[in-house]
């Protein structure tokens, strides 16, 4: 599993390659909103990411915000965004992750 930890919501760069106006997390976001902000754009090992079945997006407190099946990646310069199928209503959403995010980097492989 790939795990991505996102911090508090903030403005995206004006030239955000996914066309987002904000990135990060705020209370009340839907799973769809979390997926759009959390799926990219990251530095990661493309082959290793593609070998994972799913991605879990969590906040800095360790709460699962969204879960998606990974179906591919898209390249954006020297970084990547995940492509996938959001698993709306997954039982893990809203609960503490069972696998703590121990990396200093936002992206980790579990």
């Amino acid at each position: 599993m790939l795990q991505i930890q996102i911090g508090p919501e903030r403005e995206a760069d004006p030239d955000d390659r996914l066309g987002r106006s904000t990135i990060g997390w705020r209370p009340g976001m839907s799973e769809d909103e979390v997926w759009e902000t959390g799926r990219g754009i990251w530095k990661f090992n493309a082959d290793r990411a593609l070998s994972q079945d799913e991605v879990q997006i969590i906040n800095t407190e360790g709460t699962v915000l969204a879960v998606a099946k990974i179906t591919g990646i898209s390249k954006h310069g020297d970084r990547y965004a995940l492509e996938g199928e959001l698993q709306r209503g997954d039982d893990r959403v809203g609960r503490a992750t069972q696998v703590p995010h121990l990396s200093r980097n936002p992206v980790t492989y579990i």
Side-chain angles (χ1 to χ4, degrees), residues 53-105:
D53 292 330
E54 68 179 9
V55 59
Q56 189 179 77
I57 301 173
I58 65 171
N59 64 16
T60 54
E61 288 81 39
T63 302
V64 178
L65 306 172
V67 177
K69 290 190 184 281
I70 298 172
T71 60
I73 58 172
S74 56
K75 189 164 175 58
H76 302 272
D78 64 343
R79 296 174 184 256
Y80 300 94
L82 294 171
E83 304 297 329
E85 298 172 10
L86 182 61
Q87 303 299 294
R88 289 177 191 86
D90 187 286
D91 289 343
R92 294 169 285 182
V93 173
R95 297 182 181 183
T97 181
Q98 295 297 308
V99 188
H101 191 90
L102 302 176
S103 177
R104 291 183 353 195
N105 298 317

